Amino acid sequence: MISDFANIVVTAENYSTGHTRGPQVTCDLDRIDFHLHQLLAVDSNTNYAKQKKSLKHKLESFLHKLPAYVTLETVTTRDLCWFLIYKDEHGKTQVHQQGCHSCGCLLRLSYKSIDSYIGKLRAIFHTLGRDGAWDRHLGLGNPASDKLVQDYLWVVTAEQLHARITPKTNCPFFVNKLTQLSLHLKRKLKQAEKLLINLSLHAIRLILRWHFLVGNRPGDLGHITDLEILRFPNDDGFLCNHVWGKTLRDGDSNVFGIRRNPQIVICPIKGLELYMDTARQLGIDLICSHLFRPTASNGSIKDNSLHFYCGSTSEDLFT
């Protein structure tokens, strides 16, 4: 017992003085901190993070216009409902009132957009540490998760459904449209004066072909790397093992094969070969990196993945 107590005392003394009998463990805190910032930067550069940041700035600007002094730390559920109604002026959905004749009905946000905004608002307050159920008496918790906000969403949804407004579906994309787009981009390639423009046009043609023939999300295609593509032994196509995307974030993979198409104008394999050849002419090394990368304002190629968003144009994607 005495020897055990002595060992405890010695251990406590070594701990308090910083001396240990074992081998010293060294760590580079600067390197660890740099790696931590890299990981946080990856999360902050996603489209969802950018949308949250933009919505947060708009909410702060709206709260600043209110008569009372309201901040993100003191905002209430009623303030959020006011903000969502304020956002209606940026909507594109026309909700017809009963008996309207001249159709002077205002444009509003669709209920799907409002639902998306509410989800982002919940995430914003979660980041600020305002979690849990909303307590109206104490003003604590996440205000975006309160029943009043959900009731507002339900009322807007019911109003728009009663007005026979349903979410629009995408128009069918048939092979003849893909052929016309490919031919149009081919004509643009002949008119292009710079190889960098050729690279962007080849990338657009390739993304359109892959999206049509494989059915993969365009946003997911922007994350494909060279290491995820394997060539078939007979050079008849490629095998892609996609492991990261909007719906691939839990370790699962999406494995799909792409064969050569007898129609050269829409063949994805031919498109990939032309794209890689143009990249080599520009001295761009796509090995062990993202296959599709945006261009910077100075004409250089960025070393990050290509991001898509609703309403993207060719200028938006590659500049």
Side-chain angles (χ1 to χ4, degrees), residues 75-92:
V75 64
T76 64
T77 55
R78 185 171 295 275
D79 297 328
L80 293 184
C81 290
W82 286 347
F83 173 68
L84 293 173
I85 296 174
Y86 163 77
K87 289 286 293 180
D88 265 348
E89 65 184 36
H90 305 290
K92 299 180 181 179

Side-chain angles (χ1 to χ4, degrees), residues 171-183 212 266:
C171 297
F173 189 55
F174 297 108
V175 67
N176 63 324
K177 293 184 178 180
L178 176 63
T179 304
Q180 293 174 10
L181 280 172
S182 297
L183 292 174
F212 178 81
I266 62 172

